[in-house]
Amino acid sequence: MSPRDGHEQLLQVAVPPGERPLGELLRDVCALGDADIARIVALQAERELRFGEAALQLGLVQPAQLQQALARQFGYACIDPAEHPHLAELSVAADPQGPAAELWRDLRAQLMLRVPAPMPGPARAHPPGRVLAIVSPRRGDGRSHAAANLAAAFSQLGERTVLVDADLRAPRLHRLFGLAERPERPGLSVLLADPARQPEPQRIDVLPCLALLPVGAPPPNPLELLERGRFAALLQDLATRFDRVIVDTPASADGADARVIAAACGEALVLARRHHARAAELGVLVESLRRESVDLAGVVMRGD
């Protein structure tokens, strides 16, 4: 058996049982006909290529189309940024082989392997690691970008993940995902103001295991809404329905919102921009989280 044959065998074993062969998937993605398939198979045999490599050499498929077909074959959700330009910021799905995606996957792995030590104070409402707030000192630190990519990365594992936009002051996630406000599906602000309403996160079709709970209409009293017991109860409800809850927050410099949100979550990941963050303000943020008995999942320094 040649090394290539061995690799082909490993690929066949890695394909989940019952999944369709790559050729059938490429038929759907690229609208290939029987004659096209025959040409690919002939070149594959002649040059000892993989099916996808032969299709690329013949110019019958584009690299992005092959990536889409392979993703479907292996149950790995990704997107074609040409078809979903509003999701280009979601690097783990739009460019899953790129360096940025690898960094988010590495962070996901670190979070999954981390077992936080028990913090003093009341017992947790949900298991450690289940609900995570993304916090940072200033606007422009990239909290929404980080929350979206981290949530998408968890969803690519097959974990049911909900992304909550708790930045009631300047919400952004609904724009990042290209979701229009839907009056029949209330956002977080309405859910906090009206306890009779039940949370119904919006599913992200291109990422089947991911859902988003947007803010909806920004309220005039964001901190008051967050300090009510309804917010913590809502997070607890989501934690029973989803494997992961990732929560976006406002900048901590804008008020107490981020600290209140992190306390309700029980665990927080701190972001900071390299060459922009000040040690003093980071120290203040971290100390404020510790005073609220919030587990610190880590501090991530981001480049410009």
Side-chain angles (χ1 to χ4, degrees):
M1 179 183 293
S2 70
R4 179 174 295 279
D5 291 336
H7 187 66
E8 286 289 333
Q9 186 177 23
L10 286 175
L11 282 178
Q12 291 171 7
V13 172
V15 176
E19 290 295 329
R20 298 166 62 196
L22 181 60
E24 291 186 14
L25 293 169
L26 283 173
R27 278 183 185 271
D28 295 342
V29 174
C30 309
L32 299 179
D34 291 341
D36 297 322
I37 297 295
R39 290 176 61 197
I40 294 171
V41 170
L43 184 64
Q44 181 184 14
E46 176 187 342
R47 300 186 183 178
E48 295 187 344
L49 300 172
R50 300 186 186 92
F51 188 91
E53 292 173 336
L56 285 173
Q57 287 197 15
L58 288 169
L60 295 173
V61 304
Q62 298 299 315
Q65 293 172 321
L66 177 59
Q67 179 174 281
Q68 287 293 309
L70 286 169
R72 289 172 59 183
Q73 186 182 41
F74 285 87
Y76 182 72
C78 65
I79 61 173
D80 182 352
E83 294 182 7
H84 305 279
H86 57 284
L87 292 177
E89 192 174 335
L90 213 59
S91 56
V92 293
D95 185 19
Q97 306 305 318
E102 196 60 42
L103 290 174
W104 292 118
R105 286 194 289 267
D106 181 73
L107 178 58
R108 177 190 66 192
Q110 292 183 53
L111 291 171
M112 293 183 70
L113 292 170
R114 177 180 177 272
V115 180
M119 291 291 289
R124 285 176 173 274
H126 29 259
R130 181 71 63 84
V131 183
L132 179 70
I134 310 298
V135 301
S136 79
R138 299 183 181 185
R139 295 186 182 186
D141 285 336
R143 292 177 310 281
S144 298
H145 175 85
N149 275 280
L150 194 55
F154 276 115
S155 77
Q156 287 173 323
L157 287 176
E159 293 199 353
R160 297 165 301 167
T161 305
V162 61
L163 178 59
V164 179
D165 193 345
D167 186 348
L168 300 181
R169 298 174 184 266
R172 178 170 175 265
L173 289 176
H174 65 289
R175 293 196 301 273
L176 190 153
F177 284 91
L179 296 180
E181 186 174 337
R182 298 172 59 180
E184 76 280 5
R185 183 170 294 183
L188 179 62
S189 60
V190 172
L191 294 173
L192 296 179
D194 183 0
R197 309 293 286 269
Q198 294 300 313
E200 295 183 22
Q202 301 184 42
R203 296 288 176 180
I204 307 301
D205 293 338
V206 293
L207 295 166
C209 291
L210 182 62
L212 171 67
L213 181 57
V215 165
N221 56 337
L223 183 56
E224 287 77 12
L225 289 178
L226 291 168
E227 287 184 312
R228 296 175 184 173
R230 172 65 176 160
F231 180 61
L234 185 145
L235 290 179
Q236 187 172 358
D237 174 69
L238 291 175
T240 65
R241 297 162 51 192
F242 291 86
D243 300 313
R244 299 278 173 175
V245 182
I246 307 296
V247 185
D248 191 17
T249 69
S252 65
D254 288 348
D257 302 32
R259 185 172 71 251
V260 170
I261 294 167
C265 293
E267 191 169 357
L269 179 70
V270 177
L271 296 183
R273 291 176 65 196
R274 188 176 286 109
H275 308 309
H276 289 79
R278 296 176 180 173
E281 64 185 2
L282 272 179
V284 168
L285 175 55
V286 169
E287 183 57 33
S288 70
L289 295 175
R290 287 176 173 160
R291 283 199 305 269
E292 300 293 339
S293 299
V294 176
D295 284 330
L296 190 62
V299 177
V300 176
M301 298 295 296
R302 304 193 59 186
D304 297 338

